[in-house]
Amino acid sequence: MKTITVNEISLKWEENMNINVILKRMNYTFRMLVVKVDGKLIKKHEYESTVVSPGSDVKVIHLISGG
Amino acid sequence: MNINEMKSKHNLLKDFSYELGEIEKGYTNRTLYVNLSNNEIKEKPVTQLMKDKFIGGKGFGLKLLWDATKPDTKWDDPENEIIISPGPIGGITQYAGAGKSLVVSLSPLTDIVIDSNVGGYFGPFLKFAGFDALEIQGKAKSDVIVIIDGKNGTVRIENAPEEAINSHILAEQLTDMYAESENKKNFVSVVSAGLAAENSHIGVLNFSFYDKKRKKVRLKQAGRGGIGSVLRNKKIKAIVAIADGIKPNNVVDIDAIKECGARFNKEIRELDDDQCRMRKEGTAHLVEIMDDYDLLPTNNFKYGSHKDIMNIHSSVWRSKFTQGVFDGCWIGCTMACAKAVDGFELKTGPYKGDKVIVDGPEYETVGGLGSNCGIFDADHIIEANFYCDTYGIDTISFGTLTAFLMECYEAGIISKEITGGLEFTFGNKDAAIELMHQMARGEGFGVIAGLGIRKMKAFFAKEYGADINFLNDIGMENKGLEYSQYVSKESLAQQGGYAMTNKGPQHDEAWLIFMDMVNKQIPTFEDKAEALHYFPMFRTWFGLMGLCKLPWNDVEPANNAETDEPGKVPEHVQNYITIFNAVTGLNIDNKEMIRQSERVYNFQRTFNIRRGYGLRKHDAQPYRAAGPVTSEEYESRSDRYDKQLLENIKVNPEGKTTEEKVAILREYKENMYEQLLDAVYNRRGWTKNGVPTVAHLKDLGMDLPEVLEIVEPLQ
């Protein structure tokens, strides 16, 4: 099975797997995120168009919010 | 009785006149001292040492309280004080969130210093009236109000027998009484508590501001640690500040502040709808997010999510909150997150049938009064929020202690016979609201509950033979203060962020769950210790200044992700440094900013030590904060915990009973927390027992003789 790593968790890779798909699979619903794929920053407007390859290392950095 | 009749019943006890003066570079350079035992009122100078070492706000509060009390002073002794201070930045209107007051006192819950950060207009008005802090000591013989008239330069103590005690009525009465005209009501601010504050240890102070658009008095709370109970114990009905307009802070560089403010306001306008939606939902935007990440406390922190989350989803709150009106708790705050429900018809209690404005609920209130009690009913949460506010009690402590009672009830530790008929099953909203009304009436089981979890644990063990070890595991308090509303089980760093705090487990020192549990950015003890040094120190700084924390990171610049440390929001940190320098004329950088906080933070730790606390054993946490106490909890997330056994502890869970697995996991987690304590103490410059080292205090320039006298014998 081909996988990617998201925040050090192994996730099954899918064809045409973009950032929005990854966020959905991980149930990452928080909106204040910084996303990097293999060290490269992906801006929010690029989430749909950025497709990841098998073996990619994805970092989804959740920032801090709330009282 | 109308307002004039009420006022005619006032009896003047003391009238003090003073020169109004000006604010210079953020400071008025004097504080106001009021003693209610002998009706003494005087000005006290602010020394250069106070400004250099303690800065203002919480720092001034700690310094004044230290000087005014003895190590064995109790919360209800006359010499205990309530100190309110806005800090040097407090009162500016060009940057969001600059109207906060810091309140400091000895807490009835913890027996140590409590500090609480609150909005509303009182703090700025106190400064406009000519004072960097208000220090109230002593006890009145009967109910009084203290009126600080910043228009005429007088301070008065008056007996006030006729006014209400509950805040939503009292604040309106006094605003009507002391406003020069309808158009000047926004220049009156009232500090008050309520009936439940005087009958419990979880009292809050309500700080008012007048909402001109709604033509209503609004209330913001200094919520934590029972300061409202101290207020009522001193027989203070209210403290009133009257301003003669908005006074300038006479800052050094107003253009620099305006530039920061304009840039920030643009971010709010353009980015808030896609980020935290603070203007539409306030902090309630977090409810379903916390549920999604298994962090929303449910049934006394047993679980972190619930199937009925949609009933208290942020979209529900958005529909309940009035949209499109000003909701800033100080002038110039474009974040405007002080949301309110208008025209809410009450269904219970002494005001049943009244249509009222309810300030909130905020996230913590939804978690405390709702999910943590197993209650997923938005209207109940609004009703309970209203009564907590007007009765003057803390929604966080009330929620957490009610959740504790519910677990005790379901575990058979208490029964209907003990509670006077209240059935504290999870989800029983009728029992929860009746408990609150009992607290306000000072009767029944409400009196016991109002003592807080720590005292209830001892009471249940002594009177009903309950297992104290189990109560200590499930009673979500540390240092005597009830936990705020986040599940910390899967974040070791947040366990420290709660239990290593100076005042008790409030998340305003550090919120590290995402950084630790989700992002895995701080895997080592040293990484966690660095975070548990930087963030508590950075966030302490807001409390020295009169600032709100929310504008720091509840909206972020569009390019924040491109910075080296987006979690710190570097552009906003620089804004604060620029503003501090522009107000005071000083020239600090981001390192000195942290050192300013460290001085005060270490002083507060030493204050706790002086009172017989503040050591390693006082940073212990209830096991519920770290892991599953019961088999039921373990089995609810058995995949997760079995994986932890296998991967972290190298123990195969197969063939083991749940009780055995709970015990193995517990030993591991408790050991991890002890290692965290070692790492954090080392990073903070403390001994293994949690005492600031002399060398560290010297390095900070905080080696004051009175501080060294406390810590030197403990090195």
Side-chain angles (χ1 to χ4, degrees), chain B residues 416-433:
Chain B
K416 264 203 306 192
E417 288 66 41
I418 290 170
T419 65
L422 296 176
E423 293 184 70
F424 284 114
T425 50
F426 282 113
N428 189 344
K429 62 185 181 182
D430 295 336
I433 199 80

Side-chain angles (χ1 to χ4, degrees), chain B residues 148-166:
Chain B
I148 303 161
D149 185 342
K151 184 170 183 185
N152 297 303
T154 63
V155 181
R156 300 193 302 280
I157 306 171
E158 297 179 0
N159 275 130
E162 299 297 337
E163 287 83 351
I165 290 175
N166 287 335

Side-chain angles (χ1 to χ4, degrees), chain B residues 96-97 264-265 268 272 276-280 282 327-328 332-339 548-556 572:
Chain B
F264 178 86
N265 292 343
I268 281 281
D272 180 51
C276 290
R277 304 171 186 160
M278 297 297 281
R279 294 175 304 171
K280 293 188 170 71
D327 278 320
C333 186
T334 47
M335 183 160 267
C337 66
K339 310 314 297 177
C548 175
K549 167 262 158 197
L550 296 174
W552 161 50
N553 67 352
D554 280 72
V555 67
E556 284 157 3
H572 286 181

Side-chain angles (χ1 to χ4, degrees), chain A residues 7-9 27-32 34 41 43-44 60-67, chain B residues 274-277 285-286 292-293 507 511 514 518-520 539 549-550 553-554 556 562:
Chain A
N7 289 356
E8 299 182 15
I9 297 169
N27 196 30
Y28 284 165
T29 56
F30 188 55
R31 293 180 292 274
M32 308 279 271
V34 176
L41 178 69
K43 294 185 177 175
K44 199 165 188 175
V60 183
I61 304 301
H62 292 56
L63 302 177
I64 308 167
S65 156
Chain B
D274 289 330
Q275 294 188 5
C276 290
R277 304 171 186 160
H285 81 92
L286 286 167
D292 286 341
Y293 290 79
H507 55 279
W511 197 93
F514 282 161
V518 182
N519 305 342
K520 300 183 178 64
R539 293 173 70 146
K549 167 262 158 197
L550 296 174
N553 67 352
D554 280 72
E556 284 157 3
E562 297 164 35

Side-chain angles (χ1 to χ4, degrees), chain B residues 299-300 372-373 397-415 418-419 422-426 431-432 435-436 438-439 445-453 455-457 459-460 464 470-471 474-476:
Chain B
N299 292 13
N300 195 30
N372 209 12
C373 295
S397 277
F398 184 86
T400 300
L401 71 83
T402 304
F404 168 73
L405 286 174
M406 288 174 165
E407 184 163 356
C408 286
Y409 189 91
E410 293 202 343
I413 293 166
I414 56 173
S415 63
I418 290 170
T419 65
L422 296 176
E423 293 184 70
F424 284 114
T425 50
F426 282 113
L435 182 72
M436 198 181 294
Q438 284 187 2
M439 221 176 265
F445 198 68
V447 175
I448 295 167
L451 296 173
I453 289 176
K455 293 187 180 76
M456 278 197 285
K457 289 191 303 189
F459 185 77
F460 293 168
Y464 310 127
F470 180 68
L471 295 180
I474 67 164
M476 289 296 285

Side-chain angles (χ1 to χ4, degrees), chain B residues 202-241:
Chain B
I202 61 169
V204 300
L205 297 182
N206 285 301
F207 279 52
S208 79
F209 68 98
Y210 187 73
D211 184 333
K212 288 186 90 167
K213 186 83 173 175
R214 289 181 169 94
K215 298 190 185 305
K216 297 277 186 190
V217 174
R218 308 279 304 274
L219 301 173
K220 302 301 291 180
Q221 291 74 37
R224 303 311 323 266
I227 309 175
S229 302
V230 180
L231 187 92
R232 290 302 299 140
N233 184 264
K234 291 182 176 300
K235 295 198 182 296
I236 302 171
K237 210 172 234 183
I239 310 165
V240 180

